Amino acid sequence: MLVTNVEMIPGRRVVKHLGLVQGSTVRAKHVGKDFMAGLKNIVGGELKGYTELLNEAREEAIERMKQQAQSIGANAILNVRFSTSSITQGAAELFAYGTAVVLE
């Protein structure tokens, strides 16, 4: 399954447009990671625990989007975008969406 953030693939033609596909996951902060992030705020630097959490969430959302695209017969997802939103204090949704197509 080809997944890209561009609207068209050079040298490939879209033969069928299947519509919007999406995948999402809601993740909560880990108390231990939250504590360590608070300490890191004092000295500065990357919050590696949160970076890992977001990477895992992004991969899960992409995988769910790909599964939805496969189920409707797509072999590619174009114009992929990501969005996040706060669900409740300490939990957020990561949302991936794009256009499912069949490329020749």
Side-chain angles (χ1 to χ4, degrees):
M1 173 77 58
L2 176 67
V3 177
T4 183
N5 65 333
V6 298
E7 295 179 14
M8 64 181 147
I9 305 299
R12 305 284 299 268
R13 186 171 67 91
V14 173
V15 294
K16 191 171 187 181
H17 178 274
L18 300 171
L20 181 71
V21 289
Q22 59 86 29
S24 67
T25 184
V26 176
R27 296 291 175 108
K29 294 189 287 187
H30 181 278
V31 175
K33 289 180 183 178
D34 202 34
F35 176 75
M36 295 305 290
L39 294 176
K40 193 68 161 185
N41 279 335
I42 296 170
V43 296
E46 180 181 8
L47 303 175
K48 291 183 182 182
Y50 288 133
T51 299
E52 291 170 8
L53 181 71
L54 287 173
N55 283 335
E56 291 168 5
R58 197 170 14 259
E59 289 301 318
E60 186 170 345
I62 290 170
E63 189 56 39
R64 289 177 178 175
M65 179 180 62
K66 287 167 60 176
Q67 288 172 359
Q68 185 181 21
Q70 277 183 315
S71 74
I72 60 174
N75 66 0
I77 307 170
L78 305 179
N79 206 25
V80 173
R81 300 290 184 258
F82 295 95
S83 177
T84 59
S85 61
S86 178
I87 300 298
T88 185
Q89 185 176 358
E93 175 188 39
L94 194 134
F95 185 70
Y97 59 98
T99 304
V101 298
V102 175
L103 296 176
E104 67 178 3

